[in-house]
Amino acid sequence: MLRTIAAKQSARRLFSTSSTLRVSGQVGKYKGSPNPSTGRFTVPFIEGDGVGPEISKSVKDIFKAAQVPVDWEYCDVSPLLINGLTTIPEPAVQQINKHKIALKGPLATPIGKGHRSLNLTLRKTFGLFANVRPARSIRGYETTYKNVDLVLIRENTEGEYSGIEHVVAPGVVQSIKLITRDASERVIRYAYEYARAIGRPRLVVVHKSTIQKLADGLFVNIAKELAPEFPDIKLETELIDNTVLNVVRDPPSYTDAVTVCPNLYGDILSDLNSGLSAGSLGLTPSANIGNEVSIFEAVHGSAPDIAGQNKANPTALLLSSCMMLNYMGLESYSNKIENAILNTIASGSENRTGDLAGTATTSSFTESVIKNL
């Protein structure tokens, strides 16, 4: 009973019940606090690569206009290679550990060479075990699918993204998928508590244990072991290929469910969900939840082809910042900004950026949001 009450309280703190950005779980409560002399919060801001600085400026301008009690602290996570391993600078680690939170723009990921993904490095450095991705239809913006309301929780630290690869022989490379009981139990328990907290009666565990009998089999078995602790949540298991078919064919069939899955499946499904709900990653927020630190991020790429051209859509980073504000207990500011964003998008193509078939620039979109506050 006490755990249920705590989880529901966490739901209200993370994302307000009226918001499109509802995410929750008993684990991962915000452990930071405001400056006792000013009452303001300090948040490290990883502005990112490519269009990152442009959309970060949009967030800063809108927060200033909305008088949000947040002071931004520039956070440099330029990668370092130490003993062959990708790490982030120690000052950045100290910053984020101190304030227990960060907002992150898009970071470029090298393809086939160079340092390991900084996104993965951040998740491992701070133990960000659950990636929470809500995907809901945006009012006033018509897409192929209507009334989409999907919630996915992705295990964030291992699986195919463990980075364990080696050359067996010339032309033969082995990449190891790592699944552990501890990491699987942590994210599945979070998913159960999350489903309970936001009132969704089904937990769908996505897997491929018909082929990955030991790895995915362990993930599924842990979900079954935990099921008696959550008698109010119906556990269902589903093969990844069936999930892809079903969610495309009938997205509303998952409206009462929370989906949880290992890392790679979650990466693919979360983008699919975004395409079904909004037709664009430019509208999709994301939260990375850890026991001590949580980082909120835009999940789209750094778009170097349009960097510096005032064309980028800042909505994903803005909505992620709204998730962050709810997590910090600043729900009124979150609701104010979110409503302004959604009203701007719904007001017409002249106030939507090019990725949404509009004519607005990054700066004109930002100005419209500020007018709608």
Side-chain angles (χ1 to χ4, degrees):
M1 181 63 178
L2 290 176
R3 172 174 285 181
T4 301
I5 293 172
K8 288 182 178 178
Q9 289 173 341
S10 178
R12 288 190 288 271
R13 284 188 59 81
L14 263 171
F15 309 99
S16 59
T17 54
S18 63
S19 173
T20 62
L21 308 175
R22 295 172 296 167
V23 181
S24 183
Q26 184 178 356
V27 179
K29 288 184 179 180
Y30 178 52
K31 295 184 178 180
S33 58
N35 185 314
S37 62
T38 65
R40 297 176 64 83
F41 296 83
T42 299
V43 176
F45 202 153
I46 304 166
E47 296 187 5
D49 304 317
V51 299
E54 297 169 72
I55 61 177
S56 297
K57 183 179 185 301
S58 176
V59 173
K60 293 176 182 178
D61 290 347
I62 290 169
F63 269 50
K64 181 178 180 180
Q67 299 182 340
V68 181
V70 163
D71 294 319
W72 301 109
E73 189 173 88
Y74 179 76
C75 186
D76 180 13
V77 295
S78 299
L80 301 173
L81 279 175
I82 298 178
N83 297 325
L85 298 176
T86 302
T87 61
I88 62 175
E90 184 58 28
V93 176
Q94 293 177 2
Q95 271 181 284
I96 296 172
N97 278 329
K98 176 182 178 181
H99 299 295
K100 308 297 183 185
I101 197 168
L103 183 65
K104 185 181 81 63
L107 293 172
T109 299
I111 299 176
K113 59 182 180 180
H115 64 79
R116 185 175 67 174
S117 162
L118 271 176
N119 295 313
L120 179 59
T121 301
L122 285 166
R123 292 165 194 159
K124 287 185 172 292
T125 299
F126 298 104
L128 308 176
F129 65 87
N131 178 232
V132 185
R133 290 275 294 272
R136 299 187 70 183
S137 298
I138 301 293
R139 69 171 186 260
Y141 178 64
E142 294 294 324
T143 60
T144 303
Y145 294 85
K146 295 175 173 53
N147 302 317
V148 177
D149 186 359
L150 304 170
V151 177
L152 183 140
I153 297 178
R154 163 190 173 190
E155 199 290 315
N156 221 10
T157 62
E158 53 181 31
E160 291 86 351
Y161 292 6
S162 299
I164 306 171
E165 293 186 314
H166 60 271
V167 177
V168 177
V172 181
V173 175
Q174 185 177 52
S175 180
I176 296 174
K177 172 177 178 175
L178 180 70
I179 297 283
T180 67
R181 169 171 288 275
D182 287 347
S184 299
E185 181 173 344
R186 183 172 55 183
V187 74
I188 293 169
R189 183 180 295 280
Y190 180 88
Y192 269 117
E193 292 176 349
Y194 167 86
R196 174 181 283 171
I198 64 170
R200 295 201 174 198
R202 298 164 55 213
L203 181 68
V204 179
V205 176
V206 178
H207 64 98
K208 191 67 176 179
S209 64
T210 50
I211 305 299
Q212 305 266 334
K213 296 182 183 296
L214 295 179
D216 286 16
L218 175 62
F219 197 84
V220 170
N221 288 335
I222 289 171
K224 293 177 179 178
E225 291 172 10
L226 293 176
E229 297 182 32
F230 303 90
D232 51 324
I233 305 298
K234 181 183 178 184
L235 173 64
E236 300 176 12
T237 63
E238 198 168 82
L239 293 172
I240 177 65
D241 36 338
N242 290 341
T243 305
V244 171
L245 172 64
N246 293 337
V247 78
V248 171
R249 184 177 58 187
D250 185 17
S253 66
Y254 291 87
T255 297
D256 64 342
V258 170
T259 302
V260 63
C261 45
N263 206 332
L264 177 61
Y265 310 150
D267 191 7
I268 296 169
L269 272 178
S270 58
D271 282 6
L272 174 63
N273 291 352
S274 298
L276 295 175
S277 62
S280 169
L281 286 177
L283 299 176
T284 303
S286 175
N288 294 287
I289 305 298
N291 286 319
E292 295 294 327
V293 167
S294 292
I295 297 180
F296 298 79
E297 65 174 338
V299 296
H300 57 71
S302 58
D305 56 318
I306 61 169
Q309 299 178 35
N310 200 24
K311 293 180 179 180
N313 183 357
T315 301
L317 189 60
L318 283 165
L319 291 179
S320 297
S321 74
C322 289
M323 294 173 72
M324 181 189 75
L325 290 176
N326 279 319
Y327 172 74
M328 297 168 68
L330 301 173
E331 292 94 342
S332 62
Y333 296 99
S334 172
N335 292 338
K336 182 179 180 180
I337 294 172
E338 183 191 351
N339 287 331
I341 294 166
L342 298 180
N343 288 336
T344 298
I345 293 172
S347 64
S349 60
E350 69 276 9
N351 291 322
R352 294 197 287 261
T353 48
D355 60 316
L356 303 181
T359 57
T361 62
T362 308
S363 54
S364 69
F365 176 84
T366 302
E367 291 166 4
S368 297
V369 173
I370 290 172
K371 289 177 183 177
N372 282 322
L373 286 172

